Amino acid sequence: MNKTLAAALALGAGLLAGCTVNGPGTLRLHEALLYGAAQERIVWVYGSLGSGAQGSLKLGGAAVELRPQVRDPLALAGTLSVNGQATYRQPTTALTPKLAVTRDTLGRFNVTFNEARGAVYYTDGRGWTRVNGVQGAGLTGTPVSGLRGAGNLTDAEADALGGALLNQGTLAVAVLNEATVPDARLTAEPAPAEYRRTALYLLPGVPTVAAGPAPAPVTPAPPTAGGRVPVTELASGTNAAQTAPAVQLAATPGALGTLYRVAYGNQTGAPPVPTLRAGETVVGVFLGQRPTGGYSVRVTGASGQGETLTLTVEVRAPGAGAITTQALTSPWTLVRVPGNFRDVRLVDPSGRPLQLGTGGGLTR
C-alpha cells in the first residue's frame, strides 16, 4: 500500500524572511487520518499571515513554510499552504482490516465493522450514501453531501475529502475511534488554539450481490434521426476480471452472460443478468488493470451507421497528488443500445478516435 499523507504540523518559532503568522492564537490544525486502502494523514492548517507573504511553523521539530493557499481540490477557505501544497501529508501506520461491506441490487447494505465508533459511508464512484446503521444486514442508506457528519470533519473538509475519493469505483468509509489509532497527535510549535482529529478506514471494491428477481425488461427506443442512438448504462465498476483493455459486444443472451461474468468476475456476488431483447446490443468497455483507484470509464453518447456503432467515451485518471485507493483496479462499464451492430468504434468527447490499448475483442 502506498503511504503518502501528512502527519505533522506546528506553527513555528522560525520566521522566514522576517514574516510571521498573526499570533499563535490564530493557528488551528485539523487532520484526517486515512487507513486501509489509503494510508495517509492529511492536515489542514488554518491561520493568517498578517502583513507578511510567508511564515513558518514547526512540525515534529522540523520547520515548514507557510504561504497563501494554492489552487487545489483540498484547499479550503481560511487555510494556508504548507511547503507549497494545500495540505501537509505523511503516511499513516498500517491497520488490520476493520470493515466488511456488501451492497445488494436493491440498495441495501450488509456491514460488519469490528470497531464501531461512528458512521459508515458508501460511494458508487459518483455520489455518497450514509448507511443507516453501523453494523447488521439489510441496512438502508441516506444520500449525503460528501462525508458530512464523519468524525470531527467540518462540512467543507467533508465535502473536499469526499470529492477527492470519488471516481475510484465502489468504496466504503468507516469512522474509527481517533483516540485508539496508532498514529499519535502531532506536536506543534506554537501550540494551536484548536486541534481536530478524524480517523477513517477505507474499503475499496465493495461488491454488489443479487437481491430478489431481476427487473422487468424495458422495450428499447429505436435509433433517432441523424444516426444518433439512445444509450443506457446497465452497470459499471472498477474490479473486472479483465487485465487488458478491451471492447466486447454482446448480441445474444449467452454473450451477455459472458460479459457479466467478466465484469463481476472478481467479486463474490453479481446482480442478475438482464434480459436481452431482440434488436438490442450490449457493449462492455474495459480499461484493463490499473495500479490504483482514481480511474474510470463512462459512455456519454452513441451513434450508428450500418452495422458500426460509435461510442463517445470519457476516460478519467487521477491527477498529480490525488488521493487514491492503493489497490489494483480494472474499471469497466456496460451499456445497452437499440439496434443490431457487429463493430464498435470509440471516440473521445472531442470526436477523436480513442485507443484503449491492445487486447480488445468482440463477443457475439
Side-chain angles (χ1 to χ4, degrees):
M1 285 195 177
N2 178 14
K3 297 184 173 184
T4 54
L5 272 157
L9 274 82
L11 201 65
L15 305 180
L16 300 177
C19 300
T20 182
V21 172
N22 233 358
T26 65
L27 174 64
R28 295 180 292 128
L29 302 183
H30 294 186
E31 68 178 6
L33 299 152
L34 307 184
Y35 298 94
Q39 291 179 212
E40 300 179 293
R41 185 197 309 245
I42 305 171
V43 184
W44 286 277
V45 180
Y46 292 83
S48 62
L49 294 174
S51 59
Q54 64 185 46
S56 70
L57 61 85
K58 278 192 176 179
L59 308 177
V64 298
E65 184 181 77
L66 300 178
R67 287 183 178 269
Q69 189 54 277
V70 297
R71 295 177 67 87
D72 187 272
L74 291 178
L76 302 177
T79 61
L80 301 171
S81 69
V82 184
N83 290 340
Q85 304 297 319
T87 57
Y88 194 85
R89 296 159 70 155
Q90 283 185 342
T92 55
T93 305
L95 290 183
T96 56
K98 299 286 183 184
L99 184 67
V101 179
T102 62
R103 180 179 182 271
D104 68 23
T105 49
L106 297 179
R108 300 171 303 193
F109 299 90
N110 288 356
V111 179
T112 302
F113 188 13
N114 65 11
E115 191 175 321
R117 163 64 174 84
V120 176
Y121 296 78
Y122 167 84
T123 177
D124 59 1
R126 300 179 184 178
W128 285 95
T129 297
R130 179 168 174 159
V131 179
N132 297 325
V134 173
Q135 191 146 223
L139 301 175
T140 59
T142 301
V144 291
S145 174
L147 294 170
R148 290 197 178 192
N152 298 308
L153 296 175
T154 67
D155 284 351
E157 292 162 357
D159 288 346
L161 190 56
L165 292 172
L166 292 177
N167 300 312
Q168 301 193 52
T170 57
L171 179 72
V173 177
V175 180
L176 301 174
N177 185 345
E178 68 274 3
T180 63
V181 296
D183 296 286
R185 173 175 169 156
L186 299 174
T187 60
E189 299 175 24
E194 179 183 66
Y195 195 116
R196 291 192 183 193
R197 280 161 57 85
T198 299
L200 304 171
Y201 187 88
L202 278 59
L203 177 70
V206 175
T208 299
V209 298
V218 177
T219 302
T224 60
R228 290 173 298 176
V229 176
V231 59
T232 303
E233 181 179 293
L234 288 179
S236 62
T238 59
N239 199 25
Q242 181 72 31
T243 58
V247 180
Q248 298 183 7
L249 180 150
T252 66
L256 182 57
T258 299
L259 264 185
Y260 263 69
R261 285 192 292 274
V262 173
Y264 289 95
N266 281 337
Q267 69 173 50
T268 56
V273 178
T275 300
L276 184 66
R277 300 171 64 91
E280 284 185 327
T281 300
V282 172
V283 182
V285 181
F286 299 88
L287 286 191
Q289 193 172 90
R290 306 290 160 141
T292 67
Y295 295 88
S296 65
V297 58
R298 186 165 69 98
V299 175
T300 60
S303 62
Q305 184 172 5
E307 294 186 327
T308 298
L309 176 69
T310 299
L311 297 180
T312 301
V313 176
E314 180 182 87
V315 176
R316 292 187 178 182
I323 303 170
T324 58
T325 54
Q326 299 305 305
L328 294 176
T329 58
S330 181
W332 58 275
T333 187
L334 301 182
V335 297
R336 183 206 309 261
V337 296
N340 296 313
F341 299 97
R342 297 182 59 82
D343 298 295
V344 181
R345 174 175 173 264
L346 303 185
V347 297
D348 66 17
S350 67
R352 294 175 298 186
L354 178 64
Q355 298 294 330
L356 298 179
T358 59
L362 301 180
T363 302
R364 294 188 177 88

